[in-house]
Every structure is written in structure tokens, then in C-alpha cells.
Amino acid sequence: MVDIAGRRDLREADLKGADLRGIDFQGANLEKANLIEANLSEANFKGANLKGADLFEANLEEAHLEEAHLIWADLRWTNFKTAYLEKTHLEGTKLEGANFEKANLKEASLEGANLIKANLKGANLEGASLKGVNLEGANLEGANLEAVFLEDAYGLSFDQLSKVKTLYDAKLDEKLLMPLKKKYPALFEKPN
């Protein structure tokens, strides 16, 4: 186990299974760190570098990850319930089965991420970039997709989109856009 007290450079640290609830990692460098199954609930990762880190099955419930860099990280089956991920960089991440229920992903960049079977129920994705994202089987019930770019997203179905909170100003593939506008016009109205 690595002694993390006051350390900001934790590159390649082995913190597998560690209980790090509420720890302040703001601005820390955790590039390629092993955080598999770690309990990081309510931890502060604002602006932290977690590029290539392994957070498989980690618990990040209510954690603060605003503007953090999680590029190419392994976040499969990670719990982000009610986490704060505003403007977070999640490009190319593995997010299969991740739980983002009620998480704030406003203006987050998820380009090229894999969200197969991810839970985005009630998540705020307003202004997020989902270019080239795989959303096959993702739960989007009640998700805020205002101004989200979904034209290049794949694995996305009419049924998934019919359950979202809003698609106001979202960019969608014409094959989905027209039938949704016809059957669910309220989804395209400006939210109050």
C-alpha cells in the first residue's frame, strides 16, 4: 500500500481495494494508477490526471471529478452515482456497465467512449460530446440530452431516446430524429 498523505504525484500507484472515501486528490497525478475496486466515494479529483488509470469496479459515488482527465481509463462497472463530472475528459474510456445514475456530466467529453449497458438514468448530459460513442443497451431514462451531439453515436435506439427527459437542440441522426419528433414532439421543446 502506498502512503498517500499529502502526495500529489501518485503515478502508477497501487491503491487496489483501498478505502479512500473523502480524500482530497485535487490536481493530483494518478496516471496509470491501480484503483481497482477502491472506495473513492465523496473523494475530490477536481482537475486530477487519471489518464490510463484502472478504476474497474471502483466506487466514485458523489465524488467530484470536475475537469479531471480520465482519457483511456478503464471505468468498467464503476459506480458514478450522483457524481460531479462537469467538463470531465472521458475520451476513449471503457465505460461498459458503469453507473451514472443522476450524475452531472454537463459539457463532459465522452468522444469514442464505450457506454454499452451503462446506466445513465436521470443523468445530466447537457452539452456533452458523445461523438462516436457506443450506447448499445444504455439506460437513458430521464437523462438530460439538451444540446448533445449524437449524430455519430451508435447502438442507439428509438426506444432508448423516447425515455429521455429532453432532446432540445440535440444533434441526432435523421433516421431517429424524424420519427421521434413525430411521436414525441415534447422532447424537442425548450425545457423549463
Side-chain angles (χ1 to χ4, degrees):
M1 182 70 164
V2 175
D3 178 19
I4 61 165
R7 289 189 52 198
R8 288 286 158 234
D9 189 356
L10 293 162
R11 280 178 290 197
E12 299 182 21
D14 185 4
L15 300 167
K16 182 178 180 179
D19 185 353
L20 302 167
R21 287 176 284 188
I23 299 288
D24 185 6
F25 292 104
Q26 185 167 348
N29 185 358
L30 289 137
E31 188 170 341
K32 296 183 181 175
N34 178 354
L35 293 157
I36 295 172
E37 298 174 349
N39 185 353
L40 303 160
S41 61
E42 299 179 18
N44 179 8
F45 290 96
K46 287 180 185 175
N49 177 15
L50 290 142
K51 185 177 180 180
D54 193 343
L55 290 117
F56 180 80
E57 290 189 344
N59 180 14
L60 286 150
E61 187 169 346
E62 294 187 38
H64 286 269
L65 294 133
E66 294 96 329
E67 299 182 20
H69 293 267
L70 289 140
I71 300 163
W72 301 108
D74 187 347
L75 305 167
R76 292 174 297 148
W77 303 101
T78 297
N79 180 19
F80 290 101
K81 187 175 181 181
T82 61
Y84 305 90
L85 296 136
E86 216 170 309
K87 297 181 181 177
T88 299
H89 296 273
L90 294 155
E91 296 95 330
T93 55
K94 297 174 186 172
L95 292 162
E96 296 98 325
N99 180 15
F100 288 101
E101 187 173 345
K102 296 183 180 174
N104 184 2
L105 289 146
K106 186 176 181 179
E107 296 180 28
S109 181
L110 292 132
E111 292 181 20
N114 191 344
L115 285 156
I116 292 175
K117 296 186 179 175
N119 180 11
L120 293 154
K121 185 176 182 177
N124 179 10
L125 289 148
E126 182 182 344
S129 176
L130 298 172
K131 187 175 183 179
V133 170
N134 186 347
L135 288 159
E136 185 179 329
N139 179 357
L140 297 171
E141 184 181 337
N144 176 355
L145 298 179
E146 182 178 341
V148 171
F149 184 88
L150 289 164
E151 283 180 314
D152 294 338
Y154 56 100
L156 196 55
S157 72
F158 178 88
D159 187 52
Q160 284 172 294
L161 291 171
S162 70
K163 296 175 181 164
V164 302
K165 180 180 178 181
T166 183
L167 286 166
Y168 177 74
D169 208 22
K171 308 297 179 253
L172 281 169
D173 185 280
E174 287 289 322
K175 288 184 268 182
L176 290 169
L177 178 66
M178 299 319 283
L180 280 164
K181 273 191 169 181
K182 186 175 181 179
K183 190 161 183 177
Y184 301 102
L187 288 176
F188 298 90
E189 295 172 6
K190 186 171 177 85
N192 37 352

